[in-house]
Each structure stands twice: as C-alpha cells, then as structure tokens.
Amino acid sequence: MELKDFFYRNKKLALAFSGGMNSSFLLYMAKYYGVEIVAYLLRTGFQPLHKIEEAINFAMLADVELKIIDDDILQNEKIKANKLDRCYHCRHHLFSILKSKANSDGFEIVIEGSCGIQNSSIEALSELDIKSPLKICNLAKSDIKKSLKDFNLNIWDKSPYSCLADRISHCDIITDKKLRDIENAENFLNTLGFEDFFVLSEGNAAKILLKDNDFDRFIMNRNLIKKHLDMFGDIVLDIEPIK
C-alpha cells in the first residue's frame, strides 16, 4: 500500500506527534492529501523545551491543529524505576492517555510514526490498536528523507533524538533533577557548537559521547565544560566516537 492510499482510506485521524522527522512527515503528508487530522503532543519531563518548541513551530508551518497534553510521567512507578522494560511501560502509559483524549474528541483512529522498528515497546502500540502508516506502507527512512527534500522541508536531514530518559542508565531511578541536569548540560554544549552528541547520566557522572570531529573542541573547552557541568560529580569523555 502506498501512503496516499492509506490516507484516502482513512480521512479522519489523530496523530501522536513528537516533532521528529517521521511524525512531522506524516503530519505534512496527511494535510497534503486532505485528511482531517489533529496532532497530539504529550509534554512530559522526558522532552527538552527546545524539542517542544520545534514541534509547535512545525505544526504551525503545516497549518494543523496541535493539542498539547501535559503529563507528570514520573508518577508512574514502572517508568520511574527505569527497568529494561521502561520503554514499553512509557509507550503504553502515554498512548493510553493520547488515545483516550483523541477518542473523546471524535477520532477513532490514532496513528504514529514508527518506521522499521520492532522491539518490546512497539507491543504497546499493537495492544492499544495504534496504527503505524510508515510500517504499513513499507517506507524506509531514506524514502521519508527524499520526500521531505522534494517538498523543500528543511527537516529532511534532522538528526534522530532519543528522549532524556534514555540518557539515564537502566535501573538508576529517574528523577526530575537528573532529567533537568542532562537537559541543561546538553543546552550548554550546544552553545559551544557541538552537534549530534549525547550526555549520559551514569551514577553521579556525566558521560559525553561526541562525533570524531568534536574531540578537539571538547579539549579546547574542557575547563569551561567542567565548570558548567558541575552538577555532576565526574565528567567522562567516551573515546569511541559516535558513528
């Protein structure tokens, strides 16, 4: 099935919208094919502020209504515990909230932007009957990028971004302080010109993952980085560059 056929068969949809490349692509194409669509954004402590702002700006660009649902996700103890199955519990928790809101707004079908991913967290989507058009239509990431480029949308080369909870070692309890410390650290490194990097929280240490061409920048700014990341006990640089 082609994506246009999916949209022709489903003319009224609610979209779980993150502002990432895949969900932005779905939002834009649904609008392009005349679908009645509303975007729902779950706002939790797991997203940095600038990613929320990016999502809001793209929904405005696409001229699609965006509804923001706030959730105190750390009230869910299974998510807060950060065990290996956290992603499953997180997806089930958030999509249950989103689907309930969408259904109450008159939308029977909820879609999301997974593409070629198969893991335990995806089981939550199946259990809740959340549709994944990109998988249904066998669209690869390269297909999505090409289409976005053809539509002159500058998100075609947008880097993937995992949630802040993914930066915290499994079985380390997730706290709002840890999330905000990671967000602040990454925001500061952005001001120094770093791109496509991660700050991981491992115990009381910050482990920084960089691309190969950013190692010299880190060494040049090491004292400044140490000063601004003093919320962590130690700062560790992973010598294996991000591919």
Side-chain angles (χ1 to χ4, degrees):
M1 181 189 297
E2 292 188 9
L3 189 60
K4 64 180 179 181
D5 297 320
F6 177 88
F7 286 135
Y8 288 152
R9 296 178 187 182
N10 301 279
K11 302 296 291 184
K12 184 175 181 178
L13 298 169
L15 170 67
F17 183 60
S18 67
M21 182 190 296
N22 290 4
S23 64
S24 296
F25 172 69
L26 281 176
L27 186 69
Y28 194 87
M29 297 310 296
K31 179 75 173 182
Y32 179 79
Y33 287 117
V35 174
E36 180 185 347
I37 189 163
V38 170
Y40 291 81
L41 173 65
L42 269 298
R43 182 165 55 191
T44 74
F46 287 3
Q47 304 128 298
L49 178 60
H50 70 93
K51 289 299 176 182
I52 298 292
E53 292 172 345
E54 286 179 11
I56 293 171
N57 290 337
F58 190 85
M60 291 176 62
L61 173 68
D63 192 26
V64 172
E65 181 181 2
L66 175 65
K67 295 191 176 185
I68 298 177
I69 305 170
D70 289 303
D71 180 66
D72 186 359
I73 198 166
L74 294 181
Q75 291 299 309
N76 186 309
E77 293 296 329
K78 290 182 178 179
I79 297 173
K80 183 178 181 179
N82 199 25
K83 304 294 186 182
L84 291 176
D85 59 356
R86 187 204 74 236
C87 287
Y88 167 81
H89 293 297
C90 189
R91 280 182 180 262
H92 200 285
H93 172 85
L94 293 176
F95 276 91
S96 295
I97 294 171
L98 191 154
K99 184 175 182 179
S100 177
K101 174 59 177 170
N103 288 166
S104 70
D105 289 342
F107 292 91
E108 296 182 2
I109 302 174
V110 178
I111 64 173
E112 61 85 48
S114 292
C115 174
I117 300 172
Q118 187 60 53
N119 54 42
S120 61
S121 70
I122 300 300
E123 294 176 10
L125 304 181
S126 177
E127 292 170 4
L128 294 169
D129 195 28
I130 307 296
K131 308 299 183 186
S132 304
L134 301 179
K135 294 178 69 174
I136 292 170
C137 300
N138 294 313
L139 286 171
K141 185 70 74 174
S142 57
D143 300 320
I144 297 167
K145 288 186 174 184
K146 182 181 183 304
S147 293
L148 289 169
K149 197 171 184 179
D150 289 343
F151 279 95
N152 293 316
L153 295 171
N154 62 9
I155 62 168
W156 69 269
D157 61 347
K158 191 172 188 177
S159 299
Y161 189 89
S162 59
C163 78
L164 293 175
D166 282 342
R167 316 284 206 278
I168 300 174
S169 298
H170 282 304
C171 297
D172 280 358
I173 299 295
I174 300 174
T175 66
D176 188 65
K177 182 182 185 306
K178 290 178 184 177
L179 295 170
R180 301 288 71 78
D181 285 348
I182 295 167
E183 180 178 5
N184 291 334
E186 293 192 346
N187 286 343
F188 176 70
L189 292 177
N190 268 317
T191 67
L192 297 179
F194 291 95
E195 297 180 358
D196 297 335
F197 65 92
F198 298 100
V199 175
L200 308 183
S201 172
E202 298 188 348
N204 70 337
K207 182 178 181 179
I208 300 176
L209 282 62
L210 301 174
K211 285 198 168 182
D212 192 48
N213 59 359
D214 273 332
F215 279 80
D216 287 343
R217 187 193 306 273
F218 182 90
I219 298 302
M220 289 172 54
N221 291 281
R222 63 186 181 277
N223 291 329
L224 198 57
I225 292 170
K226 182 179 179 181
K227 176 182 177 181
H228 282 81
L229 272 62
D230 62 355
M231 69 283 277
F232 296 98
D234 297 294
I235 300 172
V236 178
L237 176 63
D238 193 326
I239 62 172
E240 187 68 28
I242 296 174
K243 303 299 183 182

